Amino acid sequence: MKRLPSPLLFQMLVFMTAGWMRRSDQLVLDYLREENRALREMLGERRLTFSDAQRRRLAVRAHALGRAALRGAASLVTPETLLRWYHTLVARKYDGSRGGRLGRRSTRAEIARLITDMAKDNPTWGYTRIRGALYNLGHEIARSTIQRILEDAGLEPAPEPTRRGSWDTFLKAHVGAVVAIDFFSVEVVTLAGIVRYLVLFAIDLESRHVAVAGITRDAHQAWVVNSMRQLFDPVDGLLRKARYLIHDRDPLFGGDFKRLLASCGVAAVRLPARSPNLNAFAERFIGSIRRECLSRVIPLGERHLRRLVTEYLEHYHLERNHQGLGRGNRLLCQLPANDEARAGAVRKRQRLGGLLNFYHRDAA
């Protein structure tokens, strides 16, 4: 039997995966339609009461679907009602009769449109993340204002991550001297099937800078030691000024690893078992790269995985606002002063086909 060429086999695998995902989505939609029909039967003639925020969200999504698609959706609300809500929402937006009321000046239409564009382009961004991106452009907007604008547009941002204060004290006591190291795994589609890769990275607790030491499908202690050596580079190595290195109890951090640290004057801090919060900064980075990048892409081979990680690190260091750094919600590499940032047109820089976005202004 004649074997298919490798590129053709790989394309077939991608098409099969995409078809499976579309079928899975269709099964979810079929289930939701049937569930809505059952709810309508249970409610009978009783009338449902929706809040204003719920009406706004449903109206925006109903307008995007259209009347024909809504009729087959087994909705709890009729298509006519949904579209009437949408027309009311549009009319309210352009209603000038309320323009003379007392109170705070409304946010300019340009900024409001920018806020809604950010929320649509970046589904993982919360109010605080959007506020930081606006600050980069020279706009100081309150979180409550951003919330109101998104609610009026029928949009909901991602939930804000919770913050813990116990590690703030630890950071202040060891500022500039502590680096954390950890692994995270990524499932990659290859010609041999789905393969698990490990990514070894380190994060400086003071600056939040991250360096990837290595990516492999076959991790062992010798590989860890060899990968770590580049982090001790005297010019730009992340560990060149470190005094303590936090790591978990993974057996890959064995005797050779500890001897390497000792020879470089770094003390290894081995964490207790089942204590992920003690390596909170590394865990937070893993959550960020998964949520904002890796969980939204199917890595197709090792080269593609390396590109994803490299692009995200560029975004992380140059374009991503960090809520726990310094004054909070600022870039690692800060832009020019706020008054200079107000000049020029707003531009959007995209990475990975729009998966990662950064809003900036042209130089004056």
Side-chain angles (χ1 to χ4, degrees), residues 326-358:
R327 292 177 54 199
N329 208 20
R330 298 292 181 261
L331 301 172
L332 293 184
C333 300
Q334 191 58 44
L335 296 175
N338 201 31
D339 53 349
E340 298 180 14
R342 293 181 180 277
V346 174
R347 303 294 184 188
K348 180 173 69 172
R349 182 189 304 160
Q350 294 184 328
R351 294 182 185 271
L352 301 176
L355 191 68
L356 304 172
N357 297 301
F358 176 62

PDB file of all heavy atoms in Angstrom, residues 326-358:
ATOM      1  N   GLY A 326       4.728  47.359  40.807  1.00  0.00           N
ATOM      2  CA  GLY A 326       4.912  48.762  41.155  1.00  0.00           C
ATOM      3  C   GLY A 326       3.598  49.430  41.514  1.00  0.00           C
ATOM      4  O   GLY A 326       2.885  49.000  42.413  1.00  0.00           O
ATOM      5  N   ARG A 327       3.266  50.494  40.793  1.00  0.00           N
ATOM      6  CA  ARG A 327       1.995  51.187  40.994  1.00  0.00           C
ATOM      7  C   ARG A 327       0.817  50.342  40.541  1.00  0.00           C
ATOM      8  O   ARG A 327      -0.323  50.660  40.848  1.00  0.00           O
ATOM      9  CB  ARG A 327       1.993  52.508  40.218  1.00  0.00           C
ATOM     10  CG  ARG A 327       2.968  53.547  40.745  1.00  0.00           C
ATOM     11  CD  ARG A 327       2.940  54.776  39.870  1.00  0.00           C
ATOM     12  NE  ARG A 327       1.580  55.290  39.738  1.00  0.00           N
ATOM     13  CZ  ARG A 327       1.199  56.109  38.770  1.00  0.00           C
ATOM     14  NH1 ARG A 327       2.048  56.459  37.827  1.00  0.00           N
ATOM     15  NH2 ARG A 327      -0.040  56.553  38.728  1.00  0.00           N
ATOM     16  N   GLY A 328       1.094  49.283  39.817  1.00  0.00           N
ATOM     17  CA  GLY A 328       0.037  48.381  39.382  1.00  0.00           C
ATOM     18  C   GLY A 328      -0.473  48.703  37.993  1.00  0.00           C
ATOM     19  O   GLY A 328      -0.575  49.861  37.594  1.00  0.00           O
ATOM     20  N   ASN A 329      -0.759  47.652  37.228  1.00  0.00           N
ATOM     21  CA  ASN A 329      -1.399  47.780  35.922  1.00  0.00           C
ATOM     22  C   ASN A 329      -0.559  48.583  34.933  1.00  0.00           C
ATOM     23  O   ASN A 329      -1.074  49.409  34.193  1.00  0.00           O
ATOM     24  CB  ASN A 329      -2.775  48.427  36.076  1.00  0.00           C
ATOM     25  CG  ASN A 329      -3.721  47.975  34.975  1.00  0.00           C
ATOM     26  OD1 ASN A 329      -3.495  46.951  34.357  1.00  0.00           O
ATOM     27  ND2 ASN A 329      -4.754  48.745  34.739  1.00  0.00           N
ATOM     28  N   ARG A 330       0.766  48.350  34.919  1.00  0.00           N
ATOM     29  CA  ARG A 330       1.664  49.071  34.029  1.00  0.00           C
ATOM     30  C   ARG A 330       2.468  48.073  33.198  1.00  0.00           C
ATOM     31  O   ARG A 330       2.550  46.890  33.511  1.00  0.00           O
ATOM     32  CB  ARG A 330       2.615  49.977  34.819  1.00  0.00           C
ATOM     33  CG  ARG A 330       1.904  51.063  35.628  1.00  0.00           C
ATOM     34  CD  ARG A 330       1.251  52.087  34.717  1.00  0.00           C
ATOM     35  NE  ARG A 330       0.587  53.131  35.487  1.00  0.00           N
ATOM     36  CZ  ARG A 330      -0.707  53.153  35.741  1.00  0.00           C
ATOM     37  NH1 ARG A 330      -1.480  52.157  35.336  1.00  0.00           N
ATOM     38  NH2 ARG A 330      -1.239  54.152  36.423  1.00  0.00           N
ATOM     39  N   LEU A 331       3.100  48.567  32.133  1.00  0.00           N
ATOM     40  CA  LEU A 331       3.960  47.744  31.300  1.00  0.00           C
ATOM     41  C   LEU A 331       5.293  47.500  31.995  1.00  0.00           C
ATOM     42  O   LEU A 331       5.760  48.332  32.780  1.00  0.00           O
ATOM     43  CB  LEU A 331       4.218  48.433  29.955  1.00  0.00           C
ATOM     44  CG  LEU A 331       2.993  48.749  29.088  1.00  0.00           C
ATOM     45  CD1 LEU A 331       3.417  49.584  27.899  1.00  0.00           C
ATOM     46  CD2 LEU A 331       2.319  47.473  28.631  1.00  0.00           C
ATOM     47  N   LEU A 332       5.926  46.352  31.693  1.00  0.00           N
ATOM     48  CA  LEU A 332       7.264  46.103  32.228  1.00  0.00           C
ATOM     49  C   LEU A 332       8.251  47.125  31.672  1.00  0.00           C
ATOM     50  O   LEU A 332       9.113  47.633  32.394  1.00  0.00           O
ATOM     51  CB  LEU A 332       7.725  44.692  31.869  1.00  0.00           C
ATOM     52  CG  LEU A 332       6.970  43.533  32.520  1.00  0.00           C
ATOM     53  CD1 LEU A 332       7.615  42.201  32.142  1.00  0.00           C
ATOM     54  CD2 LEU A 332       6.942  43.681  34.033  1.00  0.00           C
ATOM     55  N   CYS A 333       8.151  47.417  30.386  1.00  0.00           N
ATOM     56  CA  CYS A 333       8.969  48.454  29.751  1.00  0.00           C
ATOM     57  C   CYS A 333       8.056  49.656  29.524  1.00  0.00           C
ATOM     58  O   CYS A 333       7.304  49.696  28.545  1.00  0.00           O
ATOM     59  CB  CYS A 333       9.549  47.966  28.428  1.00  0.00           C
ATOM     60  SG  CYS A 333      10.611  46.506  28.606  1.00  0.00           S
ATOM     61  N   GLN A 334       8.080  50.597  30.443  1.00  0.00           N
ATOM     62  CA  GLN A 334       7.114  51.682  30.470  1.00  0.00           C
ATOM     63  C   GLN A 334       7.240  52.581  29.251  1.00  0.00           C
ATOM     64  O   GLN A 334       8.339  52.867  28.777  1.00  0.00           O
ATOM     65  CB  GLN A 334       7.291  52.522  31.748  1.00  0.00           C
ATOM     66  CG  GLN A 334       6.168  53.507  32.002  1.00  0.00           C
ATOM     67  CD  GLN A 334       4.808  52.814  32.092  1.00  0.00           C
ATOM     68  OE1 GLN A 334       4.656  51.787  32.725  1.00  0.00           O
ATOM     69  NE2 GLN A 334       3.833  53.392  31.436  1.00  0.00           N
ATOM     70  N   LEU A 335       6.107  53.049  28.752  1.00  0.00           N
ATOM     71  CA  LEU A 335       6.068  53.965  27.630  1.00  0.00           C
ATOM     72  C   LEU A 335       6.457  55.370  28.075  1.00  0.00           C
ATOM     73  O   LEU A 335       6.616  55.634  29.267  1.00  0.00           O
ATOM     74  CB  LEU A 335       4.651  53.980  27.039  1.00  0.00           C
ATOM     75  CG  LEU A 335       4.173  52.665  26.421  1.00  0.00           C
ATOM     76  CD1 LEU A 335       2.732  52.808  25.994  1.00  0.00           C
ATOM     77  CD2 LEU A 335       5.037  52.280  25.242  1.00  0.00           C
ATOM     78  N   PRO A 336       6.606  56.322  27.122  1.00  0.00           N
ATOM     79  CA  PRO A 336       6.909  57.706  27.508  1.00  0.00           C
ATOM     80  C   PRO A 336       5.835  58.294  28.408  1.00  0.00           C
ATOM     81  O   PRO A 336       4.789  57.688  28.641  1.00  0.00           O
ATOM     82  CB  PRO A 336       6.969  58.436  26.158  1.00  0.00           C
ATOM     83  CG  PRO A 336       7.292  57.369  25.170  1.00  0.00           C
ATOM     84  CD  PRO A 336       6.634  56.121  25.681  1.00  0.00           C
ATOM     85  N   ALA A 337       6.095  59.477  28.922  1.00  0.00           N
ATOM     86  CA  ALA A 337       5.181  60.138  29.861  1.00  0.00           C
ATOM     87  C   ALA A 337       3.777  60.215  29.286  1.00  0.00           C
ATOM     88  O   ALA A 337       3.576  60.242  28.070  1.00  0.00           O
ATOM     89  CB  ALA A 337       5.691  61.536  30.194  1.00  0.00           C
ATOM     90  N   ASN A 338       2.802  60.309  30.171  1.00  0.00           N
ATOM     91  CA  ASN A 338       1.409  60.237  29.784  1.00  0.00           C
ATOM     92  C   ASN A 338       0.999  61.342  28.818  1.00  0.00           C
ATOM     93  O   ASN A 338       0.221  61.123  27.908  1.00  0.00           O
ATOM     94  CB  ASN A 338       0.530  60.287  31.035  1.00  0.00           C
ATOM     95  CG  ASN A 338      -0.850  59.726  30.767  1.00  0.00           C
ATOM     96  OD1 ASN A 338      -0.995  58.844  29.941  1.00  0.00           O
ATOM     97  ND2 ASN A 338      -1.837  60.240  31.457  1.00  0.00           N
ATOM     98  N   ASP A 339       1.537  62.564  28.987  1.00  0.00           N
ATOM     99  CA  ASP A 339       1.147  63.658  28.108  1.00  0.00           C
ATOM    100  C   ASP A 339       1.664  63.435  26.691  1.00  0.00           C
ATOM    101  O   ASP A 339       1.022  63.802  25.710  1.00  0.00           O
ATOM    102  CB  ASP A 339       1.660  64.991  28.650  1.00  0.00           C
ATOM    103  CG  ASP A 339       3.156  64.952  28.935  1.00  0.00           C
ATOM    104  OD1 ASP A 339       3.739  63.858  28.907  1.00  0.00           O
ATOM    105  OD2 ASP A 339       3.729  66.032  29.182  1.00  0.00           O
ATOM    106  N   GLU A 340       2.828  62.784  26.540  1.00  0.00           N
ATOM    107  CA  GLU A 340       3.350  62.492  25.214  1.00  0.00           C
ATOM    108  C   GLU A 340       2.546  61.386  24.529  1.00  0.00           C
ATOM    109  O   GLU A 340       2.483  61.324  23.309  1.00  0.00           O
ATOM    110  CB  GLU A 340       4.822  62.060  25.309  1.00  0.00           C
ATOM    111  CG  GLU A 340       5.735  63.139  25.873  1.00  0.00           C
ATOM    112  CD  GLU A 340       7.176  62.665  25.954  1.00  0.00           C
ATOM    113  OE1 GLU A 340       7.474  61.619  25.335  1.00  0.00           O
ATOM    114  OE2 GLU A 340       7.970  63.323  26.639  1.00  0.00           O
ATOM    115  N   ALA A 341       1.962  60.514  25.332  1.00  0.00           N
ATOM    116  CA  ALA A 341       1.214  59.389  24.765  1.00  0.00           C
ATOM    117  C   ALA A 341      -0.104  59.811  24.145  1.00  0.00           C
ATOM    118  O   ALA A 341      -0.741  59.033  23.457  1.00  0.00           O
ATOM    119  CB  ALA A 341       0.954  58.336  25.843  1.00  0.00           C
ATOM    120  N   ARG A 342      -0.536  61.060  24.371  1.00  0.00           N
ATOM    121  CA  ARG A 342      -1.821  61.506  23.846  1.00  0.00           C
ATOM    122  C   ARG A 342      -1.748  61.892  22.381  1.00  0.00           C
ATOM    123  O   ARG A 342      -2.765  62.032  21.730  1.00  0.00           O
ATOM    124  CB  ARG A 342      -2.323  62.712  24.659  1.00  0.00           C
ATOM    125  CG  ARG A 342      -2.668  62.359  26.097  1.00  0.00           C
ATOM    126  CD  ARG A 342      -3.184  63.576  26.845  1.00  0.00           C
ATOM    127  NE  ARG A 342      -3.506  63.257  28.214  1.00  0.00           N
ATOM    128  CZ  ARG A 342      -4.656  62.723  28.611  1.00  0.00           C
ATOM    129  NH1 ARG A 342      -5.596  62.470  27.725  1.00  0.00           N
ATOM    130  NH2 ARG A 342      -4.877  62.449  29.882  1.00  0.00           N
ATOM    131  N   ALA A 343      -0.555  62.105  21.834  1.00  0.00           N
ATOM    132  CA  ALA A 343      -0.411  62.543  20.446  1.00  0.00           C
ATOM    133  C   ALA A 343      -0.441  61.335  19.510  1.00  0.00           C
ATOM    134  O   ALA A 343      -0.051  60.239  19.863  1.00  0.00           O
ATOM    135  CB  ALA A 343       0.897  63.304  20.281  1.00  0.00           C
ATOM    136  N   GLY A 344      -0.905  61.593  18.289  1.00  0.00           N
ATOM    137  CA  GLY A 344      -0.890  60.557  17.268  1.00  0.00           C
ATOM    138  C   GLY A 344      -2.149  59.702  17.260  1.00  0.00           C
ATOM    139  O   GLY A 344      -2.905  59.659  18.227  1.00  0.00           O
ATOM    140  N   ALA A 345      -2.352  59.004  16.145  1.00  0.00           N
ATOM    141  CA  ALA A 345      -3.527  58.135  15.991  1.00  0.00           C
ATOM    142  C   ALA A 345      -3.315  56.819  16.727  1.00  0.00           C
ATOM    143  O   ALA A 345      -2.200  56.344  16.879  1.00  0.00           O
ATOM    144  CB  ALA A 345      -3.769  57.865  14.509  1.00  0.00           C
ATOM    145  N   VAL A 346      -4.415  56.235  17.183  1.00  0.00           N
ATOM    146  CA  VAL A 346      -4.354  54.955  17.890  1.00  0.00           C
ATOM    147  C   VAL A 346      -4.153  53.828  16.884  1.00  0.00           C
ATOM    148  O   VAL A 346      -4.871  53.735  15.881  1.00  0.00           O
ATOM    149  CB  VAL A 346      -5.642  54.720  18.704  1.00  0.00           C
ATOM    150  CG1 VAL A 346      -5.628  53.330  19.325  1.00  0.00           C
ATOM    151  CG2 VAL A 346      -5.794  55.782  19.773  1.00  0.00           C
ATOM    152  N   ARG A 347      -3.167  52.982  17.141  1.00  0.00           N
ATOM    153  CA  ARG A 347      -2.885  51.839  16.293  1.00  0.00           C
ATOM    154  C   ARG A 347      -3.004  50.560  17.098  1.00  0.00           C
ATOM    155  O   ARG A 347      -2.834  50.567  18.317  1.00  0.00           O
ATOM    156  CB  ARG A 347      -1.468  51.927  15.705  1.00  0.00           C
ATOM    157  CG  ARG A 347      -1.196  53.203  14.916  1.00  0.00           C
ATOM    158  CD  ARG A 347      -2.036  53.256  13.656  1.00  0.00           C
ATOM    159  NE  ARG A 347      -1.701  54.439  12.859  1.00  0.00           N
ATOM    160  CZ  ARG A 347      -2.386  54.817  11.792  1.00  0.00           C
ATOM    161  NH1 ARG A 347      -3.431  54.097  11.382  1.00  0.00           N
ATOM    162  NH2 ARG A 347      -2.037  55.901  11.121  1.00  0.00           N
ATOM    163  N   LYS A 348      -3.286  49.460  16.417  1.00  0.00           N
ATOM    164  CA  LYS A 348      -3.367  48.147  17.064  1.00  0.00           C
ATOM    165  C   LYS A 348      -2.293  47.243  16.477  1.00  0.00           C
ATOM    166  O   LYS A 348      -2.268  46.994  15.272  1.00  0.00           O
ATOM    167  CB  LYS A 348      -4.748  47.525  16.884  1.00  0.00           C
ATOM    168  CG  LYS A 348      -4.872  46.159  17.551  1.00  0.00           C
ATOM    169  CD  LYS A 348      -6.297  45.647  17.511  1.00  0.00           C
ATOM    170  CE  LYS A 348      -6.729  45.286  16.108  1.00  0.00           C
ATOM    171  NZ  LYS A 348      -8.055  44.614  16.092  1.00  0.00           N
ATOM    172  N   ARG A 349      -1.395  46.768  17.340  1.00  0.00           N
ATOM    173  CA  ARG A 349      -0.356  45.832  16.915  1.00  0.00           C
ATOM    174  C   ARG A 349      -0.823  44.416  17.241  1.00  0.00           C
ATOM    175  O   ARG A 349      -1.175  44.125  18.384  1.00  0.00           O
ATOM    176  CB  ARG A 349       0.959  46.141  17.615  1.00  0.00           C
ATOM    177  CG  ARG A 349       2.117  45.238  17.186  1.00  0.00           C
ATOM    178  CD  ARG A 349       3.324  45.470  18.077  1.00  0.00           C
ATOM    179  NE  ARG A 349       3.706  46.863  18.081  1.00  0.00           N
ATOM    180  CZ  ARG A 349       4.455  47.427  19.032  1.00  0.00           C
ATOM    181  NH1 ARG A 349       4.880  46.682  20.047  1.00  0.00           N
ATOM    182  NH2 ARG A 349       4.762  48.691  18.965  1.00  0.00           N
ATOM    183  N   GLN A 350      -0.828  43.554  16.246  1.00  0.00           N
ATOM    184  CA  GLN A 350      -1.338  42.193  16.421  1.00  0.00           C
ATOM    185  C   GLN A 350      -0.202  41.186  16.387  1.00  0.00           C
ATOM    186  O   GLN A 350       0.770  41.342  15.641  1.00  0.00           O
ATOM    187  CB  GLN A 350      -2.345  41.850  15.326  1.00  0.00           C
ATOM    188  CG  GLN A 350      -3.625  42.664  15.376  1.00  0.00           C
ATOM    189  CD  GLN A 350      -4.608  42.204  14.323  1.00  0.00           C
ATOM    190  OE1 GLN A 350      -4.233  41.754  13.246  1.00  0.00           O
ATOM    191  NE2 GLN A 350      -5.888  42.303  14.626  1.00  0.00           N
ATOM    192  N   ARG A 351      -0.334  40.152  17.205  1.00  0.00           N
ATOM    193  CA  ARG A 351       0.550  39.003  17.165  1.00  0.00           C
ATOM    194  C   ARG A 351      -0.301  37.744  17.036  1.00  0.00           C
ATOM    195  O   ARG A 351      -1.414  37.685  17.557  1.00  0.00           O
ATOM    196  CB  ARG A 351       1.415  38.911  18.432  1.00  0.00           C
ATOM    197  CG  ARG A 351       2.412  40.051  18.599  1.00  0.00           C
ATOM    198  CD  ARG A 351       3.248  39.840  19.858  1.00  0.00           C
ATOM    199  NE  ARG A 351       4.130  40.969  20.119  1.00  0.00           N
ATOM    200  CZ  ARG A 351       5.357  41.085  19.632  1.00  0.00           C
ATOM    201  NH1 ARG A 351       5.845  40.133  18.865  1.00  0.00           N
ATOM    202  NH2 ARG A 351       6.098  42.134  19.910  1.00  0.00           N
ATOM    203  N   LEU A 352       0.241  36.770  16.353  1.00  0.00           N
ATOM    204  CA  LEU A 352      -0.427  35.472  16.175  1.00  0.00           C
ATOM    205  C   LEU A 352      -1.822  35.650  15.590  1.00  0.00           C
ATOM    206  O   LEU A 352      -2.804  35.080  16.057  1.00  0.00           O
ATOM    207  CB  LEU A 352      -0.491  34.716  17.510  1.00  0.00           C
ATOM    208  CG  LEU A 352       0.864  34.427  18.167  1.00  0.00           C
ATOM    209  CD1 LEU A 352       0.650  33.770  19.526  1.00  0.00           C
ATOM    210  CD2 LEU A 352       1.728  33.540  17.268  1.00  0.00           C
ATOM    211  N   GLY A 353      -1.910  36.482  14.560  1.00  0.00           N
ATOM    212  CA  GLY A 353      -3.178  36.654  13.856  1.00  0.00           C
ATOM    213  C   GLY A 353      -4.252  37.352  14.653  1.00  0.00           C
ATOM    214  O   GLY A 353      -5.434  37.116  14.424  1.00  0.00           O
ATOM    215  N   GLY A 354      -3.880  38.221  15.586  1.00  0.00           N
ATOM    216  CA  GLY A 354      -4.864  38.938  16.394  1.00  0.00           C
ATOM    217  C   GLY A 354      -5.174  38.279  17.712  1.00  0.00           C
ATOM    218  O   GLY A 354      -6.025  38.765  18.461  1.00  0.00           O
ATOM    219  N   LEU A 355      -4.498  37.194  18.034  1.00  0.00           N
ATOM    220  CA  LEU A 355      -4.699  36.539  19.325  1.00  0.00           C
ATOM    221  C   LEU A 355      -4.200  37.424  20.465  1.00  0.00           C
ATOM    222  O   LEU A 355      -4.791  37.467  21.537  1.00  0.00           O
ATOM    223  CB  LEU A 355      -3.975  35.192  19.330  1.00  0.00           C
ATOM    224  CG  LEU A 355      -4.280  34.249  20.493  1.00  0.00           C
ATOM    225  CD1 LEU A 355      -5.713  33.760  20.407  1.00  0.00           C
ATOM    226  CD2 LEU A 355      -3.329  33.057  20.481  1.00  0.00           C
ATOM    227  N   LEU A 356      -3.087  38.131  20.224  1.00  0.00           N
ATOM    228  CA  LEU A 356      -2.508  39.055  21.198  1.00  0.00           C
ATOM    229  C   LEU A 356      -2.508  40.439  20.573  1.00  0.00           C
ATOM    230  O   LEU A 356      -2.004  40.624  19.462  1.00  0.00           O
ATOM    231  CB  LEU A 356      -1.076  38.638  21.559  1.00  0.00           C
ATOM    232  CG  LEU A 356      -0.897  37.219  22.095  1.00  0.00           C
ATOM    233  CD1 LEU A 356       0.576  36.883  22.226  1.00  0.00           C
ATOM    234  CD2 LEU A 356      -1.598  37.046  23.433  1.00  0.00           C
ATOM    235  N   ASN A 357      -3.051  41.418  21.275  1.00  0.00           N
ATOM    236  CA  ASN A 357      -3.195  42.760  20.742  1.00  0.00           C
ATOM    237  C   ASN A 357      -2.579  43.782  21.677  1.00  0.00           C
ATOM    238  O   ASN A 357      -2.622  43.630  22.903  1.00  0.00           O
ATOM    239  CB  ASN A 357      -4.671  43.096  20.522  1.00  0.00           C
ATOM    240  CG  ASN A 357      -5.316  42.172  19.491  1.00  0.00           C
ATOM    241  OD1 ASN A 357      -4.872  42.108  18.354  1.00  0.00           O
ATOM    242  ND2 ASN A 357      -6.357  41.457  19.897  1.00  0.00           N
ATOM    243  N   PHE A 358      -2.023  44.847  21.078  1.00  0.00           N
ATOM    244  CA  PHE A 358      -1.459  45.958  21.844  1.00  0.00           C
ATOM    245  C   PHE A 358      -1.860  47.252  21.170  1.00  0.00           C
ATOM    246  O   PHE A 358      -1.690  47.417  19.955  1.00  0.00           O
ATOM    247  CB  PHE A 358       0.064  45.849  21.904  1.00  0.00           C
ATOM    248  CG  PHE A 358       0.731  47.011  22.589  1.00  0.00           C
ATOM    249  CD1 PHE A 358       0.475  47.303  23.917  1.00  0.00           C
ATOM    250  CD2 PHE A 358       1.629  47.825  21.894  1.00  0.00           C
ATOM    251  CE1 PHE A 358       1.088  48.370  24.545  1.00  0.00           C
ATOM    252  CE2 PHE A 358       2.244  48.892  22.519  1.00  0.00           C
ATOM    253  CZ  PHE A 358       1.967  49.169  23.843  1.00  0.00           C
TER     254      PHE A 358
END
